[in-house]
Amino acid sequence: MNPASNANPAVLIRANPSLALVKYWGKCRFGRNRPASTSLALSLAGLTTRTELRLLPPGAAADQMTLGGQIQPDERFAAFFDQARRLYRHQRRYQAISSNDFPSAAGLASSSSGFAALALGCAALAGQAAGADFPATGDCLAADGLSARQLTQASALARLGSASAARAVYGGWTWLPAGAAAAIPLQAAGFWPDFRVLVVVASRSAKADSSRGAMNRTRASSPYYPAWLRDAVAVSREARLALYRRDLERLGQLARLSYSRMHASALAADPPLLYWLPASLVAIQCCAELRTAGIGAWETMDAGPQVKILCEQKDIAAIRAALSVALPAAGLIEASPATGPTLAAWPSEWVEGFGQP
Ligand code: DP6
């Protein structure tokens, strides 16, 4: 990158969280945050991270990261920004101002959209500074602004921040193989346009245990961790086939197996990791009753108490009606397959007012 070519390049990125139907839980022993289990995921339109990213003037001492108005700890971002400088060959520091329109660090995969937005921002800034043909105004699909190679690089960079973020660089359905550096886009959002995810917000509080610490504790102390990893291989393969057939029932069964086994391995850690709240169990029970009544409602859970219900658009009203009786106080967020992150270059005159909406 030639920083002199554009004194204060800045970009605005919007990205969506990546919900795993088949879970990543555990890291390879070596390989800088590579996942130990294969995950199959969908990027969710309806939940959005918005990130402004700029290069600070030469000589700035440190990177600056703000999320929801709060300055973030350096150590969570240092490896990521250092790698971005190595990858895009410059010494400048970054400033990022990020916000989510959904609860952060509450098991809604905010780190996936957060690091995906940062990585795409770094890639876009590198392209902009190098004089690439980059749109001056308006949003555009990342896929239109960056080449497949640049997206793979951004996915690998995002992985350093959060392995699930490697998937959130893409819209639609994604695949992150065990041991891989970057995610692979499997199908675009339009492949299954009626697919829906209804998020039951059982709690808006930030979780006590980060996914990172929790999965490391599971690996280090759960006697069920090796069994989790072993079984995950077949589950991921079959889930991918079920996705290609758009077979909600089979995909739902496999998603349920994946999260149940992931949580079983975590619950057996020392000390145990228990993410479920009473409201989570009510939502799980509600899904079971809906299925008995012939409605395709398949739940999954991540490292938090929220329950995400996999379903089709035609059943959304019935599922909402059942939840309004079972859990009248719970918030609901409806999500659909996301097209993919968007990026917009900022006109240079806006740069001085960086931080404006
Ligand atoms: C349960 O990607 O947040 O949501 O790589 O340590 O940052 P780090 O973990 P993270 O873990 C996500 C775990 C999960 C399952 C998934 O998204 O695949």
Side-chain angles (χ1 to χ4, degrees):
M1 179 189 295
N2 171 14
S5 64
N6 187 341
N8 287 301
V11 287
L12 167 63
I13 306 286
R14 288 194 184 86
N16 309 105
S18 167
L19 171 70
L21 279 69
V22 175
K23 307 296 178 187
Y24 142 58
W25 191 252
K27 297 168 191 301
C28 293
R29 224 163 266 277
F30 305 102
R32 304 184 79 196
N33 211 34
R34 290 182 191 226
S37 67
T38 297
S39 51
L40 169 72
L42 175 66
S43 297
L44 300 180
L47 295 89
T48 306
T49 295
R50 176 194 187 282
T51 300
E52 305 161 8
L53 184 72
R54 75 183 287 201
L55 291 176
L56 288 167
D63 300 305
Q64 297 167 17
M65 174 75 207
T66 314
L67 173 61
Q70 308 281 316
I71 296 170
Q72 299 298 299
D74 287 347
E75 56 280 10
R76 183 75 181 91
F77 295 87
F80 174 91
F81 284 129
D82 287 346
Q83 177 62 14
R85 278 184 282 275
R86 269 194 296 276
L87 183 61
Y88 299 118
R89 297 200 195 97
H90 68 95
Q91 273 89 46
R92 301 268 292 266
R93 298 285 176 166
Y94 289 97
Q95 183 191 49
I97 301 173
S98 189
S99 59
N100 297 319
D101 66 1
F102 58 97
S104 302
L108 288 173
S110 57
S111 67
S112 68
S113 45
F115 278 105
L118 283 178
L120 288 167
C122 293
L125 283 175
Q128 194 183 40
D133 184 15
F134 192 75
T137 55
D139 284 353
C140 70
L141 287 180
D144 291 339
L146 299 170
S147 68
R149 186 170 164 273
Q150 287 170 317
L151 286 169
T152 303
Q153 272 182 343
S155 175
L157 174 61
R159 187 204 81 241
L160 273 188
S162 230
S164 54
R167 305 182 312 235
V169 159
Y170 301 99
W173 302 86
T174 55
W175 180 250
L176 179 59
I184 300 164
L186 284 185
Q187 295 288 351
F191 172 74
W192 196 342
D194 296 340
F195 194 93
R196 292 290 177 276
V197 176
L198 199 57
V199 181
V200 183
V201 183
S203 165
R204 299 186 86 82
S205 311
K207 57 194 178 191
D209 297 299
S210 73
S211 300
R212 178 156 302 193
M215 65 177 80
N216 286 339
R217 194 199 301 172
T218 306
R219 186 182 75 186
S221 66
S222 172
Y224 301 156
Y225 180 72
W228 147 253
L229 281 188
R230 211 174 39 245
D231 288 347
V233 176
V235 171
S236 60
R237 276 194 203 134
E238 206 196 329
R240 186 171 164 163
L241 293 176
L243 166 67
Y244 285 154
R245 290 195 305 268
R246 295 188 197 85
D247 180 346
L248 178 64
E249 185 170 1
R250 191 62 192 137
L251 188 57
Q253 287 167 350
L254 292 160
R256 193 176 49 167
L257 272 185
S258 179
Y259 95 84
S260 301
R261 290 176 180 171
M262 172 204 131
H263 280 257
S265 71
L267 190 55
D270 183 13
L273 290 150
L274 175 60
Y275 290 106
W276 304 11
L277 290 177
S280 321
L281 293 171
V282 172
I284 292 172
Q285 186 60 30
C286 190
C287 287
E289 285 165 12
L290 282 161
R291 289 195 299 272
T292 305
I295 292 166
W298 299 91
E299 81 283 356
T300 183
M301 291 181 70
D302 293 286
Q306 331 302 0
V307 176
K308 294 103 180 186
I309 303 177
L310 316 175
C311 58
E312 284 184 314
Q313 221 264 307
K314 64 180 171 53
D315 292 325
I316 281 280
I319 298 170
R320 277 182 181 277
L323 286 168
S324 71
V325 175
L327 281 173
L332 296 180
I333 305 171
E334 188 175 328
S336 52
T339 318
T342 59
L343 57 92
W346 277 25
S348 55
E349 63 268 27
W350 286 20
V351 170
E352 283 309 309
F354 196 76
Q356 291 172 356

